[in-house]
Amino acid sequence: MPLKAVVDGETVIAPDLSDEEWAGLQLRHKKGLTVTMACCGAPGHLRTSGKGTRHFYHAPDSGCRYAEESKEHLEIKYKIYQTCQSENWETSVEFPSPDRAWISDVYAVRDGRKVVFEVQVSAITPEELEERDRKYRVLGIESYWLLDNFLGKSRDFTAWYDSFLAGEDGRSPASVPYIDPSLFSTGPENHIFIPRGIRSVGLSAKSRTLFTTNNPSLSLPVWVREVLKGNYQRYLEAGADAFHRKRQLVTLAAPALIRFREFYETIIRHGTYQERAGRAERRFRAGPSRDDPALQKMVRTLSAEIDWVGKEYRSYVSESSGLFTWKKVAAQDRPLLYFRLEPASNVKKIQDGVATMDRWEASFEDALRTLERGSSPGNG
Ligand SMILES: [Zn+2]
């Protein structure tokens, strides 16, 4: 339902008229004055909404898509318009694009900044949103989409985020061992902004309130003012920056964490080193070099070293190391071990730790090979 129409060749914004002007216009319209809808040129009429908002409406069968706009849409659009005006922005409603391909709900300009607000009560597909947003982008207009109940409506927006989350390596953080997936769980405005740079906010059209991931109920005028001050853009960017920082740390830490996970398997879960050392020792004791004092010493050291690497592993996963934390997760009997991505210096620490254990493992393999040689017949 439009706020705007053309009367006597002049554009009129209904709520901007004084009571007298509105009454006068109604009277003249009754006497036959033509009111033309600004959107499509169809004939229109005057009306006041239940909330007292003056507006125009299309004569029946206009076929105009703006005739279908809900009363919630009207009230929200009007509130945004009012707020922008009260902040001294040069404000237009139902503002057509240069090629008239689309009409934006509210368009506000100040000090060279151009901002557009789009109220989307009906569902919008991700493709349509992206296409329409692109049109503003090429004109250097900052667009803000108020999307009604977009939490529930579009899983596709989450799909944008999920595929972005997987990153260029195609590896999702959830597939990296010890990464807490909740680090990357976030809300719809981030699902849309982080992968596509499209600014949006959740809209509860019925209550005319907004919501974001961190704020379940945000007043419309308060939010509009935050947009105009640039704060909402900064909020979105801060979220994206935090995302990118975490994502980068995961990529950086992934090889060390994957390797660390292998150490868990070999040291804790399967006792692989113990078993292999035991086997080598038995063969050595049955072999020709069993009396070699240097090799005997090596056998003793091996066992101590395996204890050492076990302790080393445990010291890393203890809470006091600051590298890992145990977290109780719903639907899991036991707490899960997660790597603390931050501070960023933790990544260096786990890389160093893994490098130390790698070096130890290489020396362990060397020692086993030496023992093997000592166990072979004809050697010694
Ligand atoms: Zn129309």
Side-chain angles (χ1 to χ4, degrees), residues 37 39-40 58 64 66:
M37 303 307 285
C39 40
C40 58
H58 292 75
C64 175
Y66 300 102

Side-chain angles (χ1 to χ4, degrees), residues 212-233:
T212 63
T213 308
N214 302 319
N215 194 335
S217 178
L218 189 55
S219 109
L220 183 60
V222 167
W223 178 77
V224 170
R225 280 193 284 270
E226 293 303 311
V227 166
L228 296 178
K229 282 187 223 153
N231 289 340
Y232 191 67
Q233 169 76 13

Side-chain angles (χ1 to χ4, degrees), residues 22-23 45 49 55 58-59 85 95 103 111 127 176 186 234-235 244-245 261 301 306 308 310 342 355 360 375:
W22 183 249
H45 306 293
S49 76
H55 61 279
H58 292 75
Q85 272 195 323
F95 188 75
I103 293 177
D111 304 330
E127 294 70 33
V176 178
T186 183
R234 279 188 280 277
Y235 157 78
H244 288 297
R245 196 180 59 242
R261 168 87 203 176
T301 339
I306 293 168
W308 173 84
E342 286 175 291
W360 173 81
S375 312

Side-chain angles (χ1 to χ4, degrees), residues 65-76:
R65 61 181 154 140
Y66 300 102
E68 307 300 322
E69 279 180 5
S70 64
K71 58 179 191 295
E72 286 92 358
H73 191 134
L74 173 82
E75 304 296 347
I76 294 162

